[in-house]
Amino acid sequence: MTHPYQSVPVRSSEITPRDVYLSRRDFIKAAGVIAGSVALAACLSSPEDAPGMTDTPAGDSPAPDVNRPAFTDELGDPANTFEEITNYNNYYEFSTNKEAVAPLSKNFTTSPWTVEVYGMVNKPKTFGVEDILKLFPQEERIYRLRCVEAWSMVIPWNGFPLASLLNMVEPTSDAKYVRFETVYRPEEMKGQGSPFYPWPYQEGLRLDEAMNDLTLIATGIYGETILPQNGAPLRLVVPWKYGFKSIKSIVKIELTDQRPNTLWNTVAPNEYGFYANVNPNVDHPRWSQASERRIGEFTRRETLMFNGYGEQVAYLYEGMDLSLQY
Ligand SMILES: Nc1nc2c(c(=O)[nH]1)N[C@H]1C(S)=C(S)[C@@H](COP(=O)(O)O)O[C@H]1N2
Ligand SMILES: [Mo]
């Protein structure tokens, strides 16, 4: 086959095999980017690249990144490689160490799997993952993911708009919020043995946020079935909000008139709000949100309001004080 990553732009419909990313990974290892990024306890400690820390150990000279895929988002930002996306993960059910998540989640059971959609709906339904893949046409969406810890990636997801699934169960006029719940399986997810977190992981969106076309249920990455470390078999992706809103390995979706409690808001309400919209003007109490480190890059870049998706989502917050994340 032809090599898709030279100077030729790749159509997003073309699927890229993962082996072509391997050279990129070797490059990263050589440059010490992964090895040098200290994985601190994610959301509760300082950002993984606090001001003053550098990712590149002294002595390594930054080299031009020739292996960057030609896949780009709508801003022209190149996608991160499959290897980056699948080896640097926040997933506290497995580990608070980003590089340990991939090996620890390797044998996680993702089949059979069902998702129960219930609550304030006319047609509650429990979906098997195989039904979901048949019922909803899978699209490719290349989105930026901005973690609240001030690092980011560009990820080519495969999935479908959450709105398609919600429309099928018909929310009643009383429904105002959507609550999501991750599987609770402490035998397989050792992190769920930690008493410091209120397991299972929960998240929530306002119904209109959930219905926005950007809001995705992801089932794949780079055209491949999503791997356990990224939230297999299906996870939420809300690209204009901090990454912790994008809950992984969902088993329950509840329509409700009550604003859901979320794991991070419960653990540290003064640090992690319900809305959690990416906002460079509102600092985290312990670090700045004005800039971020794109995984694989050597200099920081400015963080964009709503992570660059303002045109699509600013209407949701008209009249709200955006300096309040709660
Ligand atoms: N169930 C669950 N979902 C989760 C998390 C988690 O620890 N558990 N971490 C969140 C955080 S903080 C981020 S930044 C993203 C990371 O997604 P990725 O590893 O696929 O890049 O997942 C989010 N979803
Ligand atoms: Mo995050």
Side-chain angles (χ1 to χ4, degrees):
M1 60 169 284
T2 56
H3 193 295
Y5 286 165
Q6 302 309 328
S7 51
V8 191
V10 182
R11 285 185 311 146
S12 62
S13 57
E14 287 182 271
I15 300 307
T16 309
R18 57 170 303 201
D19 56 350
V20 295
Y21 301 105
L22 292 175
S23 57
R24 164 71 184 153
R25 186 191 194 185
D26 294 343
F27 169 79
I28 292 167
K29 285 225 163 120
V33 172
I34 285 180
S37 59
V38 184
L40 301 174
C43 292
L44 279 181
S45 67
S46 55
E48 45 79 62
D49 51 350
M53 290 179 67
T54 60
D55 300 311
T56 311
D60 281 346
S61 53
D65 183 357
V66 290
N67 292 312
R68 180 63 81 180
F71 259 76
T72 64
D73 67 7
E74 81 289 356
L75 300 180
D77 288 2
N80 283 88
T81 65
F82 188 88
E83 292 299 323
E84 288 166 334
I85 296 165
T86 57
N87 287 285
Y88 189 83
N89 302 100
N90 269 336
Y91 202 166
Y92 275 32
E93 283 85 342
F94 290 101
S95 177
T96 56
N97 174 345
K98 293 175 180 52
E99 288 152 53
V101 171
L104 289 172
S105 61
K106 215 172 111 184
N107 298 317
F108 179 63
T109 310
T110 57
S111 174
W113 193 281
T114 56
V115 184
E116 187 187 353
V117 191
Y118 64 105
M120 294 180 162
V121 297
N122 291 324
K123 299 181 171 165
K125 188 172 159 67
T126 297
F127 296 87
V129 167
E130 47 309 322
D131 310 330
I132 284 182
L133 291 170
K134 272 187 231 134
L135 283 168
F136 308 106
Q138 305 292 303
E139 306 172 19
E140 180 168 79
R141 302 275 188 101
I142 304 179
Y143 285 161
R144 295 171 293 287
L145 175 98
R146 169 56 159 85
C147 178
V148 74
E149 300 163 318
W151 56 266
S152 63
M153 292 202 200
V154 176
I155 304 182
W157 302 105
N158 307 94
F160 60 94
L162 173 63
S164 322
L165 187 143
L166 295 179
N167 286 331
M168 186 166 280
V169 299
E170 298 179 7
T172 67
S173 55
D174 293 333
K176 298 282 179 290
Y177 295 95
V178 188
R179 188 185 72 87
F180 304 86
E181 199 177 298
T182 293
V183 70
Y184 182 66
R185 209 188 281 162
E187 334 71 75
E188 282 198 84
M189 299 169 129
K190 295 296 180 215
Q192 286 182 336
S194 166
F196 298 109
Y197 302 96
W199 309 109
Y201 199 102
Q202 289 189 61
E203 259 304 337
L205 295 173
R206 235 170 46 194
L207 183 56
D208 55 353
E209 297 177 318
M211 288 297 211
N212 185 278
D213 181 62
L214 284 180
T215 305
L216 204 70
I217 295 288
T219 57
I221 290 176
Y222 271 120
E224 296 208 8
T225 301
I226 195 167
L227 294 176
Q229 58 266 46
N230 295 108
L234 82 181
R235 60 93 60 86
L236 185 68
V237 181
V238 193
W240 72 95
K241 292 178 180 283
Y242 290 120
F244 65 85
K245 299 294 292 182
S246 294
I247 181 174
K248 296 177 172 179
S249 305
I250 298 167
V251 288
K252 286 184 185 172
I253 300 179
E254 180 186 9
L255 283 285
T256 165
D257 58 359
Q258 306 290 310
R259 195 168 95 170
N261 290 326
T262 70
L263 180 141
W264 282 111
N265 191 240
T266 304
V267 168
N270 58 322
E271 303 198 346
Y272 307 107
F274 175 80
Y275 280 97
N277 292 316
V278 174
N279 188 339
N281 307 312
V282 179
D283 288 340
H284 185 278
R286 290 182 283 124
W287 59 82
S288 166
Q289 295 292 24
S291 70
E292 68 201 56
R293 183 174 67 87
R294 179 68 47 83
I295 300 304
E297 291 183 355
F298 296 102
T299 54
R300 296 182 74 85
R301 48 165 73 215
E302 285 184 3
T303 288
L304 305 174
M305 186 66 206
F306 295 120
N307 204 21
Y309 298 101
E311 231 173 89
Q312 292 98 317
V313 302
Y315 75 93
L316 292 165
Y317 311 103
E318 255 165 43
M320 277 180 64
D321 181 352
L322 291 174
S323 68
L324 300 172
Q325 287 279 353
Y326 312 100

